[in-house]
Amino acid sequence: MQHLISVIVPIYNVEKYLSKCVDSIINQTYNNLEIILVDDGSPDNCPKICDEYAKKDDRIKVIHKENGGLSDARNAGMRIATGEYISFIDSDDYISNNFIETLYSAMKAENSDIIECDIVRFEEGTEPYFENGKGEINSFTTEKALSLLIAENKFHQYVWNKLYKAEFVLNIQFTKGKLNEDEFWTYRIFGQAEKVTKINKPMYFYLQRGGSIMGESFNLRRLDALEAKTERQKYIEANFPKLEKQAKFDLFGTCIFMCQSAMKFMQGKEKKQAKMIIKKCVNGNKLKKDELNMIERRNRFWISFASKSFFLCCKIRSIIGIGF
């Protein structure tokens, strides 16, 4: 018997891309789907397009709501989801026709709680180019999967290239109003799972477009990532102390990158405010001497330099072109 799988699609101002996204879902080789289209107060023709699809396919449910942002739309979808498994697809992206079936079959075979596939990035106006992966499947325990997630090695923060058991998802809402909503959420889902699987097969097609949220120029909202990683640090310290140092090094490295970005792309009061936010994060996560000695040699010089003179280090790295 096939389990019911809920596919949640948050939608806002994407009428140019929406049909390709929804078509890729309704044409899946796995049929037992609950497709939840969440119209987040979209000002274009997306609400009409959603309703037209619902008339043609009884697996589709449509939510029309006031605009509340990506996280709020996902939360709205989760509130009505009834599937035993859940996937999130962004409305300007699309998936291969065997995305759901392949992930579901591998999850069942591995008895895992989360599975992630590879992604293919492509720019607007181009066709995605990719080589088929070997389909290699690897599964990991909670702690190892979290370590790989922190390192962005095998696993990534993205919400949308995965399939989840619903029991690990529905009790954790997305944080509203944040740009880096995935980074506030994904580590907590991994922390609840007993086994996480990665399949080396590109099946999610991610459109990189200038008008998307992540296509915005660098601004203060980008610093939400520091807030997310600060919260993650506290979570790791409380629940996975063996990963505490790794997470702390990653947070410190993100502070350096954010500072360089602020120096390069921001001006005036906004730049000053950004530096204050970053400095506060650095002061709250200072590295001790014994911790610095644990860092790989190729990174140790810059991390040590930054721990002693943070802004000078970032300025010099920017001048000589390191980090971009």
Side-chain angles (χ1 to χ4, degrees):
M1 184 187 79
Q2 287 188 329
H3 290 96
L4 180 65
I5 296 177
S6 298
V7 182
I8 298 172
V9 186
I11 297 164
Y12 183 79
N13 207 23
V14 288
E15 69 174 286
K16 182 178 177 181
Y17 317 100
L18 184 57
S19 290
K20 188 166 188 176
C21 174
V22 178
D23 285 343
S24 75
I25 300 170
I26 63 178
N27 292 321
Q28 287 292 297
T29 56
Y30 191 97
N31 294 316
N32 194 20
L33 301 177
E34 174 185 60
I35 304 167
I36 303 173
L37 306 181
V38 186
D39 161 34
D40 189 34
S42 188
D44 57 5
N45 286 319
C46 284
K48 181 180 178 181
I49 295 171
C50 290
D51 290 339
E52 288 174 350
Y53 269 106
K55 292 176 183 177
K56 294 185 290 186
D57 193 323
D58 60 10
R59 298 176 299 172
I60 293 177
K61 298 178 180 178
V62 179
I63 298 173
H64 295 291
K65 60 181 287 298
E66 292 184 2
N67 179 249
L70 180 59
S71 292
D72 194 49
R74 287 176 178 162
N75 290 340
M78 286 197 292
R79 282 193 290 272
I80 71 165
T82 60
E84 294 171 87
Y85 295 80
I86 287 182
S87 186
F88 300 93
I89 310 296
D90 279 1
S91 51
D92 50 359
D93 301 333
Y94 65 96
I95 52 178
S96 63
N97 67 345
N98 62 345
F99 172 84
I100 297 292
E101 182 177 18
T102 302
L103 294 185
Y104 174 74
S105 296
M107 280 185 78
K108 295 292 288 182
E110 293 290 302
N111 192 29
S112 60
D113 305 309
I114 305 169
I115 186 167
E116 173 179 321
C117 72
D118 289 334
I119 68 172
V120 181
R121 291 181 173 86
F122 67 102
E123 295 184 356
E124 193 165 6
T126 68
E127 289 297 319
Y129 172 80
F130 66 100
E131 296 180 1
N132 280 315
K134 297 179 180 178
E136 182 182 2
I137 296 173
N138 293 289
S139 293
F140 304 90
T141 61
T142 310
E143 190 165 271
K144 181 60 178 177
L146 265 173
S147 177
L148 292 170
L149 181 68
I150 293 168
E152 293 278 329
N153 181 352
K154 288 192 182 293
F155 297 114
H156 300 85
Q157 304 292 337
Y158 322 128
V159 168
W160 29 255
N161 62 333
K162 299 175 177 65
L163 182 64
Y164 312 83
K165 283 185 179 177
E167 63 189 275
F168 295 100
V169 172
L170 296 179
N171 63 329
I172 298 181
Q173 297 280 288
F174 287 91
T175 303
K176 290 176 59 176
K178 301 297 181 182
L179 184 62
N180 298 75
E181 67 285 328
D182 294 7
E183 294 199 33
F184 285 88
W185 190 82
T186 306
Y187 72 85
R188 292 187 289 167
I189 304 301
F190 272 51
Q192 293 189 130
E194 293 184 8
K195 184 186 286 188
V196 185
T197 298
K198 177 64 183 284
I199 180 167
N200 178 30
K201 191 173 180 65
M203 295 184 290
Y204 190 100
F205 299 90
Y206 171 70
L207 174 63
Q208 295 180 300
R209 59 188 178 99
S212 68
I213 295 174
M214 292 310 293
E216 295 175 359
S217 59
F218 191 86
N219 54 46
L220 286 173
R221 291 190 68 206
R222 297 284 186 179
L223 301 184
D224 287 350
L226 292 183
E227 182 182 346
K229 290 193 174 184
T230 298
E231 289 187 8
R232 184 185 71 183
Q233 184 65 27
K234 294 175 182 177
Y235 175 85
I236 293 293
E237 289 173 359
N239 299 283
F240 299 93
K242 291 182 180 179
L243 302 180
E244 177 184 344
K245 298 293 189 295
Q246 181 192 1
K248 191 175 183 180
F249 297 154
D250 180 74
L251 173 56
F252 198 86
T254 301
C255 288
I256 294 174
F257 176 77
M258 289 294 181
C259 185
Q260 287 185 244
S261 298
M263 288 177 171
K264 184 174 182 178
F265 300 115
M266 301 176 80
Q267 301 293 330
K269 291 182 179 179
E270 191 176 57
K271 181 177 180 178
K272 184 177 180 180
Q273 186 178 351
K275 291 175 73 174
M276 289 175 59
I277 293 170
I278 295 165
K279 185 62 176 178
K280 181 179 179 181
C281 185
V282 170
N283 289 338
N285 294 276
K286 285 188 175 181
L287 297 175
K288 301 174 183 177
K289 186 175 181 180
D290 64 316
E291 292 174 333
L292 290 170
N293 291 333
M294 297 172 63
I295 298 172
E296 296 178 355
R297 284 191 175 183
R298 61 191 178 92
N299 297 321
R300 192 180 301 166
F301 171 78
W302 290 110
I303 297 293
S304 298
F305 186 2
S307 67
K308 295 175 182 176
S309 185
F310 184 79
F311 290 116
L312 178 60
C313 173
C314 293
K315 185 175 182 179
I316 291 175
R317 282 172 60 91
S318 297
I319 290 172
I320 64 180
I322 296 178
F324 289 99

